[in-house]
């Protein structure tokens, strides 16, 4: 740990303020190059506690940067995680206000809901499949607070892994009989196909991502609790969206998620 408690608290307020008021900031490591990964997660967990103190509920978790292509593109060595607050959450058919965001992008994801706790370290894909109550289709709206989405991994972690909004729809299904690795998705914006993908884009299998989350949380003594809703990571590349855009993502076996930016 390189940053003291007062600096962690200051940076948590800095990131959260940029998120709530939708303005750009420069990456934290420009001013604090000594920041460690532990500091970065301390900033995220402090911002999370501040949200709860203001009366918000934390309703889930997300994994980010889970594809080899995206890690390579962003020049980062590992995936990261973040939390989902109540006001991030939207249902199928939603209208999301574009003006409340900075430069949003959309990604198709499979969401997991757990029926048992997952406790890392040592958690593996089999533990995840056994602990999964159901999966559902979701679309994550990411909105890095960093100018032009320019960041390094530590700065992204402090910024809650770019969490912003997410939309859940389609059908809830047990993982029994579903091959999440080959499950296909088609993303359309304003009726035009913009992305195709399959579940294997997420660390080879989306459940691997959930195991990694449990193991990363385990390093901090945190447990991924039964009932948690988790976005497992992007199946498609993230696509920039504008005001007025209609987004529809069709998931094989799981139905469709549609919404609009207004
Ligand atoms: O959910 C994601 O994969 C995004 C994580 C943060 C990186 C970014 O903003 O692109
Ligand atoms: Mg994502």
């Amino acid at each position: 740990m390189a940053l003291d408690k007062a600096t962690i608290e200051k940076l948590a307020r800095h990131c959260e303020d940029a998120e709530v008021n939708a303005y750009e900031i420069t990456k934290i490591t420009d001013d604090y190059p000594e920041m460690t990964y532990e500091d970065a997660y301390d900033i995220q967990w402090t911002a999370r506690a501040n949200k709860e103190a203001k009366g918000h509920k934390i309703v889930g978790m997300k994994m980010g940067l889970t594809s080899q292509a995206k890690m390579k593109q962003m020049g980062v060595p590992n995936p990261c995680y973040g939390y989902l607050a109540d006001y991030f959450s939207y249902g199928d058919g939603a209208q999301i206000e574009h003006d409340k965001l900075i430069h949003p992008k959309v990604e198709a994801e499979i969401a997991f809901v757990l029926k048992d706790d997952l406790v890392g370290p040592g958690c593996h894909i089999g533990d995840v499949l056994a602990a999964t109550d159901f999966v559902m289709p979701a679309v994550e709206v990411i909105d890095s607070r960093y100018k032009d989405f320019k960041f390094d991994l530590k700065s992204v972690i402090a910024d809650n892994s770019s969490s912003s909004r997410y939309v859940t729809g389609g059908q809830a299904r047990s993982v029994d009989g579903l091959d999440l690795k080959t499950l296909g998705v088609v993303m359309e914006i304003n009726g035009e196909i913009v992305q195709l993908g399959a579940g294997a884009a997420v660390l080879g299998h989306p459940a691997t991502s959930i195991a990694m989350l449990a193991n990363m949380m385990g390093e901090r003594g945190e447990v991924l609790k039964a009932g948690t809703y988790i976005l497992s990571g992007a199946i498609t590349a993230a696509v920039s969206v504008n005001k007025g855009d209609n987004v529809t993502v069709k998931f094989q076996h799981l139905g469709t998620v549609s919404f609009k930016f207004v």
Side-chain angles (χ1 to χ4, degrees):
M1 217 172 133
L3 304 182
D4 60 24
K5 199 165 181 292
T7 308
I8 299 278
E9 280 168 7
K10 184 178 86 173
L11 291 173
R13 284 194 302 275
H14 174 66
C15 289
E16 211 213 334
D17 204 41
E19 178 257 305
V20 171
N21 296 302
Y23 61 81
E24 290 177 340
I25 54 179
T26 51
K27 69 182 198 303
I28 292 181
T29 48
D30 287 352
D31 296 318
Y32 298 91
E34 71 279 25
M35 180 169 80
T36 64
Y37 283 105
E38 195 187 350
D39 293 330
Y41 275 116
D42 282 350
I43 292 168
Q44 185 190 122
W45 281 88
T46 302
R48 171 186 169 135
N50 290 346
K51 284 229 186 290
E52 288 183 295
K54 285 187 216 156
H56 289 298
K57 268 186 84 170
I58 303 306
V59 296
M61 297 294 290
K62 70 162 274 184
M63 281 291 280
L65 298 173
T66 45
S67 82
Q68 296 301 337
K70 181 108 181 225
M71 281 188 264
K72 204 168 161 200
Q73 180 199 345
M74 297 296 178
V76 303
N78 296 307
C80 51
Y81 68 81
Y83 62 84
L84 303 173
D86 46 11
Y87 65 92
F88 299 1
S89 174
Y90 285 78
D92 196 32
Q95 300 204 330
I96 296 183
E97 286 178 85
H98 194 278
D99 288 348
K100 293 209 166 145
L101 306 173
I102 305 166
H103 41 202
K105 296 182 183 182
V106 291
E107 308 178 320
E109 309 216 2
I110 293 172
F112 285 64
V113 176
L114 300 180
K115 60 185 174 200
D116 295 314
D117 293 354
L118 284 173
V119 187
C123 190
H124 58 73
I125 184 169
D127 298 323
V128 174
L129 293 173
T132 300
D133 195 358
F134 55 87
V135 290
M136 285 187 82
V139 179
E140 185 181 20
V141 181
I142 54 168
D143 195 32
S144 174
R145 270 51 70 170
Y146 297 118
K147 194 168 162 35
D148 303 325
F149 271 84
K150 290 223 169 68
F151 46 66
D152 49 29
L153 187 55
K154 290 174 194 167
S155 297
V156 164
I157 291 165
D159 182 33
N160 193 22
S161 296
S162 308
S163 304
S164 158
R165 302 284 184 267
Y166 66 94
V167 185
T168 304
Q171 294 158 18
R173 291 264 316 250
S174 155
V175 286
D176 296 341
L178 266 188
D179 181 0
L180 295 179
K181 193 167 178 157
T182 57
L183 191 141
V185 306
V186 178
M187 179 189 281
E188 297 173 1
I189 297 191
N190 303 327
E192 189 186 324
I193 296 174
V194 291
Q195 286 289 320
L196 306 169
V202 185
L203 294 171
H205 191 297
T208 303
S209 173
I210 308 298
M212 190 180 274
L213 173 62
N215 291 333
M216 288 196 289
M217 288 177 70
E219 283 170 22
R220 294 184 64 99
E222 301 282 348
V223 171
L224 201 42
K225 292 259 171 58
T228 305
Y229 173 98
I230 310 155
L231 294 172
S232 58
I235 295 173
T236 58
V239 180
S240 290
V241 282
N242 298 307
K243 199 182 225 181
D245 281 350
N246 284 292
V247 180
T248 298
V249 185
K250 294 170 181 158
F251 291 74
Q252 190 180 16
H253 307 305
L254 296 177
T256 297
V257 179
S258 294
F259 60 103
K260 183 180 173 92
F261 285 93
V262 293

